[in-house]
Amino acid sequence: MLRFLILRIVKMAITLFVVVTVVFFATRLSGNAIDFIAGEGLDAQSRSELIAYYGLREDVLTQYWRYLRGMTEGEFGLSFTERRPVTQVFWERVGPTLQLIGGAILMTLVVAIPAGVFAAVRRRSTSAQSVMTLAFLGYATPNFVLATLMLLVFSYWLQILPSAGNSTWAHYLMPVTALSLTYIAALIRYTRNATLDVLGQDYLRTARAKGMSEREVIVRHVLRNTLITVLSVFGLMVTALVSSGAVVIESIFSWRGIGDLLVRAAIRRDYPVLQFGVLAVAAAVVVINTLIDIAYALVDPRVRLGARVS
Amino acid sequence: MKRIAKYFFHARTFWSDATPLVRLAIVVGLLLLGATALAPWLAPFDPNQQTLLARLSPPVGFEGAAMGHWLGTDELGRDIFSRGLHALRITLGIGLGGASLGMLLGLALGLVAGLKGGLIDDLVAGAIDIQIAVPFTLLALLAVAIFGGDLLVLIIVLGIAGWETFARVVRGEVIKLRNQPFIESALAAGASPWRIATRHLLPNLVSPLVVMFALSFSQIVLLESTLSFLGLGVRPPTATLGSMVGQGRDYMPSAPWLVIVPSLLILLVTLVVQLIGDFLRDRADIRLRQR
């Protein structure tokens, strides 16, 4: 276990180092960033002051070295557009994004797992088949299309839900639904398949033979073994949610979160913000993946950590 | 071994294995492809031609519809039907181009890593891990910020970002196949690595490659639509389906067709791709086929 953890941490560090390096040099490819933020018609003196202010005077390698040194002290530069430390700008946005993602995770689990198990156990019934059809449609619908159509129907036509902001619970309804739909649909399909695999196992016949009620069989044997398979898929979903799902939804519903911040930063070429954003999200993804591997090993005794590292 | 590839594409069983819904999807998909190929001839108007007198006119059948504009016009009086056709052309083109690029890159690296092993394999495997840590969407945001929304750049970026899935699966398959007797005997007969890769390994990789291609294609179409929707994709006035939805948002209360028409087109494309993709995946899954 210890060996596994150390290996994983070393691997995480290497990954993040490569990400920092590639992103740093990539953002320097397009020339001096000052020209984008300052615009034209800037006199030479203010231009050179701005360049000094953002620490862009030295050659790229010196800047890179300074960036790496700053990182160890928690310094990631100043935002071009807000003229404040990047970390400060970023930190304000973390809360709303976590709320949105948390809501989506909760909704996905609460809806998808019971629906998937149901669709497998009663697989020949009409209602189970309609669940699968809905899941198929949901999976094929891009979340920004769903979000836009929902806005059209609920905010403009029926006028029952607010279109932007996050002050009341009603504000959460559309963004969370639009964000979770793809994941709900995908998880229903996985849960159904996992449950079907479990339903064919011999130990269920044994459980029934010893007089267990059908309900108990489902909850104690089927559900528990299904969850092992579902867990690994769910981990992938969480990373997808963190990294990409929220970006579009936040922009559509004017949600002041990280996704919205990064889209604005990309439009305005606010490189320090983008750079930190990519690094932070990559770090989150790597950490989550490691946690999932550990959780997976804890839940399923058949997985031995040492064996999976190679 | 080549029989697997042959079975996969065998025209008669391909059609008879398909459910009616999948057949419909294949027909619609071919129609969409045909429509996009012929877009310049099919479209009744120039997609960027503005007719300010016929601004925001609704689709045919609604009150105040303008003559000849089947699906209405947008805020600059451009014909939505024509724009939709051309948008489909760009969207599908980016999808095909990007997925092909990712496949070539991933296939080459996966083959080399799987066959050579050693240091090269470690490097490729490490690169795969790193690529997984940097999500597709963020990479695209970054690239668009650095290079701007140039069509070619977009295709290259989306394609390169997709290499990882192909490389991972190809590498895994090659490692699995490498020790099989038929590869060993080919080696013993003095076959070159190139010959082994092209004549012995590639036919076994066809079905996973096709499935991944479908997956990657739909992923790229989705990502391109999303970026264009956010105003980060192909530059205006060139229409893509995502940018049509994105720009139409401002007119949602008064002219909902600006959003509804391209949204439905996107849905149609993703549904068709999804249906065909699922069908291909089931077909490639030997275990399932025997069930």
Side-chain angles (χ1 to χ4, degrees), chain A residues 1-305:
Chain A
M1 187 71 185
L2 189 66
R3 194 184 129 80
F4 166 79
L5 277 181
I6 293 172
L7 265 174
R8 282 309 290 247
I9 288 169
V10 169
K11 224 170 155 187
M12 272 161 60
I14 294 175
T15 303
L16 292 180
F17 176 73
V18 173
V19 170
V20 170
T21 308
V22 171
V23 171
F24 184 91
F25 287 104
T27 51
R28 263 61 180 179
L29 272 181
S30 56
N32 204 325
I34 274 316
D35 296 334
F36 300 122
I37 42 175
E40 287 160 30
L42 191 74
D43 62 88
Q45 200 200 336
S46 340
R47 187 171 182 275
S48 82
E49 274 172 15
L50 266 180
I51 290 180
Y53 182 70
Y54 287 110
L56 300 171
R57 196 185 292 285
E58 301 106 325
D59 63 303
V60 178
L61 278 178
T62 320
Q63 286 182 37
Y64 173 62
W65 179 240
R66 202 151 36 90
Y67 191 79
L68 286 186
R69 274 232 315 265
M71 272 175 60
T72 57
E73 290 157 20
E75 298 263 341
F76 290 88
L78 298 176
S79 157
F80 286 165
T81 49
E82 303 206 17
R83 308 197 170 193
R84 295 189 288 146
V86 170
T87 39
Q88 202 183 336
V89 176
F90 205 78
W91 186 244
E92 296 166 1
R93 303 292 197 115
V94 170
T97 295
L98 285 185
Q99 285 169 8
L100 188 62
I101 290 174
I105 291 176
L106 200 68
M107 189 161 177
T108 305
L109 287 178
V110 167
V111 176
I113 291 184
V117 172
F118 170 79
V121 174
R122 300 246 180 286
R123 59 183 168 285
R124 305 214 190 284
S125 71
T126 335
S127 40
Q129 271 156 15
S130 17
V131 166
M132 293 321 290
T133 311
L134 282 180
F136 180 82
L137 288 176
Y139 194 66
T141 310
N143 56 11
F144 75 92
V145 170
L146 178 77
T148 310
L149 294 180
M150 275 167 80
L151 263 181
L152 182 63
V153 173
F154 295 109
S155 293
Y156 291 114
W157 288 352
L158 302 176
Q159 305 203 335
I160 48 173
L161 287 176
S163 62
N166 61 343
S167 42
T168 66
W169 67 269
H171 286 93
Y172 284 78
L173 225 49
M174 283 202 290
V176 168
T177 313
L179 184 54
S180 2
L181 183 81
T182 319
Y183 303 101
I184 292 178
L187 198 63
I188 287 181
R189 297 169 96 189
Y190 279 113
T191 309
R192 178 175 178 271
N193 285 346
T195 313
L196 281 179
D197 280 347
V198 175
L199 283 177
Q201 301 287 339
D202 289 339
Y203 55 78
L204 290 191
R205 196 179 45 202
T206 314
R208 289 197 187 100
K210 72 179 189 191
M212 226 178 201
S213 74
E214 193 59 33
R215 191 193 166 78
E216 243 182 316
V217 170
I218 300 286
V219 174
R220 297 212 20 200
H221 291 289
V222 176
L223 198 59
R224 193 178 283 184
N225 285 297
T226 301
L227 287 183
I228 292 176
T229 319
V230 168
L231 182 66
S232 62
V233 181
F234 184 66
L236 289 178
M237 285 182 184
V238 174
T239 51
L241 259 173
V242 171
S243 59
S244 52
V247 171
V248 149
I249 297 296
E250 284 184 5
S251 298
I252 295 176
F253 293 102
S254 314
W255 199 273
R256 308 274 297 164
I258 290 169
D260 183 56
L261 177 73
L262 291 181
V263 170
R264 281 167 201 269
I267 293 175
R268 297 182 191 160
R269 307 202 168 186
D270 193 340
Y271 291 140
V273 170
L274 262 183
Q275 214 165 306
F276 182 66
V278 173
L279 183 64
V281 173
V285 169
V286 174
V287 169
I288 293 172
N289 281 341
T290 309
L291 289 180
I292 289 162
D293 277 358
I294 295 172
Y296 202 54
L298 291 180
V299 177
D300 190 347
R302 282 170 300 182
V303 177
R304 267 206 248 113
L305 287 176

